Each structure stands twice: as structure tokens, then as C-alpha cells.
Amino acid sequence: MIRTARVKVPSGLPGWIFVPAAVGGLFVVLPLFAMLASVDWSRFFELVTSESSLAALELSLRTAAASTALCILLGVPMAAVLSRSSFRGLNVLRSLVLLPLVLPPVVGGIALLYTFGRRGLIGQHLEVAGIHIAFTTTAVVLAQTFVALPFLVVSLEGSLRTAGRRYEHAAATLGASPTTVFRRVTLPLVLPGLVSGSVLAFARALGEFGATLTFAGSLQGVTRTLPLEIYLQRETDADAAVALSLVLVVVAVVIVVGSRGWASRAAL
């Protein structure tokens, strides 16, 4: 059996650039290893399977899934409009859509409270109809959606711009309606970008803290998600907080790595 020698392809990068890249990698990875080394493994299973911990994890996964679905429902049309339209004020609209990326989450929570709270802009009218949103599980989903939606929009808008419009023009020339073009041509072309954006939205929703605490509060089994449980445990049981933090990291890593593998296969 003849073995062929592997040819090393130069990266084309200057040698010095690998030093700050390595420092940046250590800056991200080292705290995770430090947390891993601090886990009380003898009590790990006991800490992560307590009633409050399991309730918080279940609520986080359920609300993050719901908010991700809402992000897809709203974010796909938004990304399509931002990438395929051209009208006055488009840049302003894009800036407003991306505003939650730079706003402190607690500010987003206050904004939601003054919108959907009992005396809020919309909430006061919902109260008349007997619909209560603030400090409910619905409030958790809305808070997560508010902070996670821009992640999906940014990712999908980039994919739409990269894909171009020639296939859409070809389908339209053959007589396909705009809805058919969007459903049968556009969406399949940007499916990897949609998956990546959805995963980013889910991960952001899973780790949401500030907006949730401000708008939804911290009621066990109702609005106390895993980040809120970790924060409360940090005040009373540091070992439990570290153990739950590790669970949250593992869940996020599994989701991100698994989805990236799926997106890579879908792109082939």
C-alpha cells in the first residue's frame, strides 16, 4: 500500500497573529476549565437533581424552545425584508431590529414591562380582557425572544445576501409566484444559515437572565429559569451554583456542536 505524503498548505497568515489568537482562545476556555475544576463531584448528582434545579432546567428548555420558534416565525420575514428590500429608512429599521444586541438586558426587561405590564402600553388593554402577561411563563418567552431575535435575523440576513438572487429570478421567470419562490427556492438555499441562526437564538434564550428577572420575576416552576436558579444558589450554596452552571454549559455545547454538524451536512 502506497502512502501519499500530505502537503502542508500555508495559511497565508503572519506568524505573530497566532499569539493573540491563542491568548483569545485561552481567555474563553480557561474560565470553563477553572469552573470544571471547582465542581464538587461527590455531590454533583445530588446538586443537579434537586427539585428546584430540575424544575428550572425543564422550564429553561421549554421556554427557550418556544422563544426560538417565535424567533423563526418573526425573524425569517424580517431577515427577508432587510436583505431583499430597498426603501428609504431601511438602515434605520435594521438598526432598530439589532438594538437588543447592544441594550443591557435589564433595559429590555423594563421596556417589555412598560409594554405588556398591567399598566403598559398594550398590557392595560390586555388586562381588561383578562389576559395577564407580566410575571408569567409567557413573559419569560417574550423576554427571551426580545433578546434572541436579532441573532437569528443577523445570521439569516447574511445567508440571504450571500446566496444571491439568480435562482429566485430564474424561478420567477418560469412563472413561480413570489410565495412559491420564497418557499421552494429561497428557504432551501439558506437552510444552513437558518439552522445556525436558530441555534444562536436558542442558546441566547437559554442563557437569558436580566430581561427575564425584570419582566417575569423569579417564581419557582413558573418563571425561575436555570440562570435565575444559578444566581439564587450562588448566594446560598456556591457548589450548587457551579454544578448547575456546568449543566448549562454542557447543554449549550451539545446543542451548538450538534447543530453545526447538521448544518455542515446540509450545506453539502
Side-chain angles (χ1 to χ4, degrees):
M1 182 177 179
I2 301 175
R3 294 184 179 180
T4 57
R6 293 184 178 180
V7 179
K8 187 176 181 181
V9 180
S11 64
L13 296 173
W16 61 263
I17 204 169
F18 290 94
V19 176
V23 173
L26 285 174
F27 181 75
V28 174
V29 174
L30 199 57
L32 299 179
F33 277 106
M35 183 180 67
L36 190 64
S38 302
V39 174
D40 184 357
W41 293 106
S42 63
R43 298 178 56 216
F44 180 78
F45 187 76
E46 172 193 345
L47 294 172
V48 300
T49 56
S50 65
E51 181 181 354
S52 61
S53 299
L54 291 178
L57 177 60
E58 186 271 336
L59 180 65
S60 290
L61 294 174
R62 182 159 47 91
T63 54
S67 64
T68 302
L70 193 55
C71 284
I72 294 173
L73 181 64
L74 302 176
V76 172
M78 291 169 66
V81 170
L82 292 175
S83 63
R84 295 292 190 258
S85 300
S86 178
F87 54 85
R88 182 177 297 178
L90 181 63
N91 289 332
V92 175
L93 177 61
R94 181 180 290 106
S95 299
L96 292 175
V97 169
L98 303 183
L99 193 58
L101 286 175
V102 296
L103 278 179
V106 66
V107 175
I110 292 175
L112 290 170
L113 191 60
Y114 277 87
T115 303
F116 297 103
R118 291 186 175 182
R119 298 182 180 179
L121 184 65
I122 297 176
Q124 59 181 331
H125 302 293
L126 296 177
E127 285 288 326
V128 175
I131 301 174
H132 312 286
I133 293 182
F135 305 104
T136 65
T137 304
T138 301
V140 176
V141 175
L142 292 180
Q144 292 175 343
T145 303
F146 181 81
V147 299
L149 182 59
F151 287 85
L152 186 141
V153 173
V154 168
S155 178
L156 189 55
E157 183 187 359
S159 296
L160 285 166
R161 292 186 180 278
T162 302
R165 306 194 63 176
R166 64 179 185 273
Y167 294 111
E168 296 170 344
H169 288 318
T173 302
L174 293 174
S177 67
T179 299
T180 301
V181 172
F182 185 75
R183 180 171 57 89
R184 300 292 296 273
V185 178
T186 306
L187 287 182
L189 278 175
V190 298
L191 185 58
L194 177 58
V195 172
S196 298
S198 300
V199 170
L200 287 174
F202 183 88
R204 181 63 185 88
L206 194 64
E208 166 49 33
F209 175 80
T212 302
L213 181 62
T214 306
F215 181 43
S218 179
L219 304 174
Q220 183 174 341
V222 181
T223 65
R224 186 179 299 171
T225 57
L226 193 55
L228 295 179
E229 178 69 15
I230 292 171
Y231 178 76
L232 292 176
Q233 290 288 357
R234 181 66 181 84
E235 301 297 322
T236 57
D237 189 348
D239 290 337
V242 173
L244 291 176
S245 298
L246 181 60
V247 170
L248 192 58
V249 170
V250 170
V251 171
V253 168
V254 168
I255 292 171
V256 171
V257 172
S259 64
R260 284 183 65 87
W262 186 92
S264 298
R265 291 193 298 271
L268 296 177

